Amino acid sequence: MIRLFYFLYVAILFSCGFVIAICECMIFKESIKKISTFASQIGMILTHFAGIVKLCLLTFGHGKLLRLIQVLEDKKYQYESLGESKPGVMLQEGMKIYNITTYSVFVLYGFVGISGHISSLINLNLEIQGDTFEGTNKTCYDFLPYMFYIPLPHQLKWQCELALTFMDIGFAMHASVIAVHDTLFSGLLNYLKTQLLIVCEVFKTLRVRCLKNIGLPKDYIIMHDTDNPVLERELYRLLTHATEHLKILLRIREDLEYMFTYVILIQAIASLFIISSCLYVGYIVPFGSPEMIALMEFSLCIIIQLSLVCWFGNEITRASEMIRTSLFESDWFSCSPRFKQAMILTFIRMQRPVYLSIGKFSPLTLATLVAICRGSFSYFAVFKSV
């Protein structure tokens, strides 16, 4: 019975979300009459469209996502701590960052609809003293924080409040889906970055780990590793193992690129319009008003949403650039020719930059975030001049 009520609740929530997205498209023609409404409407429609795409990605791609997580958590590529190199601690710190990010994102995204609802209720109660809109030259549409066609009766004040509640339910659906997608994607990026840093640590400590594995002292010195076949085989084995780990991580990056690149492109385009429209509306409404507070919270969520993926994407690029330095610091001077050949091949591969892209157009880095913010200010200037 509890499971039945749960599925019923989820079905109602998702139905309201899809209805809200349809209602936003139905009133799009009316929003063209006002530039601020038009700009924010485009951004909101794109955001909810991205939410539906993210829902489809999570629904139909959950099997592949689970397989990626299983590969990243493969115990075969977990290494023991050695001196200052502590891969286990690095994984724990990465998980702690993921948990903090998840809770913060869910709270921020969920508060978008709540803040808009509160600001609308405050304005509604201040301007409408009675139970109807008669004699005020106002309708329920004048108090909506975000434009959408109201499919319910809204001639009375309590009916308008009911329409705002319906809006909150729809927004909660989109906020939950977008939050799950964004936290999952950023968590995968963070885990991938952590694994790349672990590979760096393994490359740096190759010789020390090998000496420990075969029971030799840390200060063991030999002119040519080929004079000690056991040490040479262990060094080559560990190098091959770490290189294979690196190849798996690079394939995971390709899978993440294939699955998420166009969703991030939609998100970036939506953010461009939303930030510019928020700047324009914030320029119009009085400072400190309920609309301003709701607007600031909404724009903050959009910036954080884009900053998360750009930050972790940038961290992956930085971590991959450290691979070559770590290989060079692996005390390879006395190594065998086959060890050096394998190391050179890894050097050559890592000369190509490792990054995720936005729709195959631009790397997912902090520079891209700055470019989108600059573009938003440019659109704000256009809206202001119009």
Side-chain angles (χ1 to χ4, degrees), residues 203 323-333 343 347:
F203 279 145
I323 297 290
R324 287 174 294 173
T325 304
S326 301
L327 270 173
F328 188 78
E329 296 175 355
S330 62
D331 194 7
W332 52 271
F333 301 105
M343 187 180 71
F347 260 110

Side-chain angles (χ1 to χ4, degrees), residues 115-153:
S115 61
H117 183 95
I118 293 174
S119 66
S120 299
L121 283 181
I122 292 174
N123 292 331
L124 183 64
N125 291 320
L126 286 176
E127 298 189 28
I128 308 299
Q129 302 299 326
D131 295 330
T132 65
F133 295 97
E134 293 181 2
T136 61
N137 197 26
K138 295 280 187 177
T139 64
C140 187
Y141 286 100
D142 295 316
F143 298 97
L144 292 178
Y146 311 105
M147 289 293 292
F148 69 97
Y149 175 78
I150 303 177
L152 305 171

Side-chain angles (χ1 to χ4, degrees), residues 13 105 133 169 248 263 266 270 287 308 374:
L13 186 67
V105 166
F133 295 97
I169 297 175
I248 291 174
V263 179
I266 297 173
F287 184 79
L308 273 177
R374 291 177 62 184

Side-chain angles (χ1 to χ4, degrees), residues 236-249:
Y236 187 74
R237 185 196 67 80
L238 189 55
L239 174 66
T240 305
H241 183 269
T243 304
E244 186 64 29
H245 188 190
L246 177 60
K247 291 178 181 178
I248 291 174
L249 296 179

Side-chain angles (χ1 to χ4, degrees), residues 307-346:
S307 300
L308 273 177
V309 293
C310 289
W311 170 265
F312 288 116
N314 189 77
E315 288 296 296
I316 287 176
T317 302
R318 291 181 65 250
S320 65
E321 291 173 351
M322 296 171 61
I323 297 290
R324 287 174 294 173
T325 304
S326 301
L327 270 173
F328 188 78
E329 296 175 355
S330 62
D331 194 7
W332 52 271
F333 301 105
S334 61
C335 291
S336 62
R338 65 171 182 170
F339 183 99
K340 294 177 181 178
Q341 289 174 0
M343 187 180 71
I344 292 173
L345 290 176
T346 306

Side-chain angles (χ1 to χ4, degrees), residues 1-11:
M1 183 63 69
I2 296 177
R3 183 175 296 181
L4 177 62
F5 280 112
Y6 172 75
F7 282 116
L8 183 62
Y9 165 76
V10 172

Side-chain angles (χ1 to χ4, degrees), residues 54 101 105 109 181-183 185-190 193 260-261 263-269 271-272 275 301-319 354-359 362-374:
K54 291 176 180 180
T101 303
V105 166
Y109 287 13
H181 175 278
D182 291 350
T183 54
F185 182 46
S186 60
L188 287 171
L189 295 182
N190 184 41
K193 179 263 298 185
F260 291 97
T261 181
V263 179
I264 302 304
L265 175 63
I266 297 173
Q267 179 178 320
I269 295 174
S271 301
L272 186 67
I275 295 173
C301 286
I302 296 300
I303 295 175
I304 290 177
Q305 180 186 37
L306 190 61
S307 300
L308 273 177
V309 293
C310 289
W311 170 265
F312 288 116
N314 189 77
E315 288 296 296
I316 287 176
T317 302
R318 291 181 65 250
V354 177
Y355 59 84
L356 283 88
S357 66
I358 301 179
S362 174
L364 190 64
T365 61
L366 291 177
T368 305
L369 174 64
V370 173
I372 292 175
C373 291
R374 291 177 62 184

Side-chain angles (χ1 to χ4, degrees), residues 205-261:
T205 58
L206 271 176
R207 182 169 293 274
V208 179
R209 291 179 181 275
C210 291
L211 292 175
K212 181 181 179 181
N213 291 342
I214 61 178
L216 292 176
K218 294 181 180 179
D219 56 352
Y220 178 80
I221 299 176
I222 190 172
M223 183 65 68
H224 300 288
D225 291 342
T226 52
D227 296 337
N228 189 336
V230 177
L231 175 62
E232 194 276 335
R233 284 195 300 269
E234 182 64 18
L235 278 169
Y236 187 74
R237 185 196 67 80
L238 189 55
L239 174 66
T240 305
H241 183 269
T243 304
E244 186 64 29
H245 188 190
L246 177 60
K247 291 178 181 178
I248 291 174
L249 296 179
L250 294 178
R251 285 198 295 268
I252 291 176
R253 184 214 65 84
E254 294 175 358
D255 292 336
L256 292 176
E257 168 88 5
Y258 175 78
M259 294 182 66
F260 291 97
T261 181

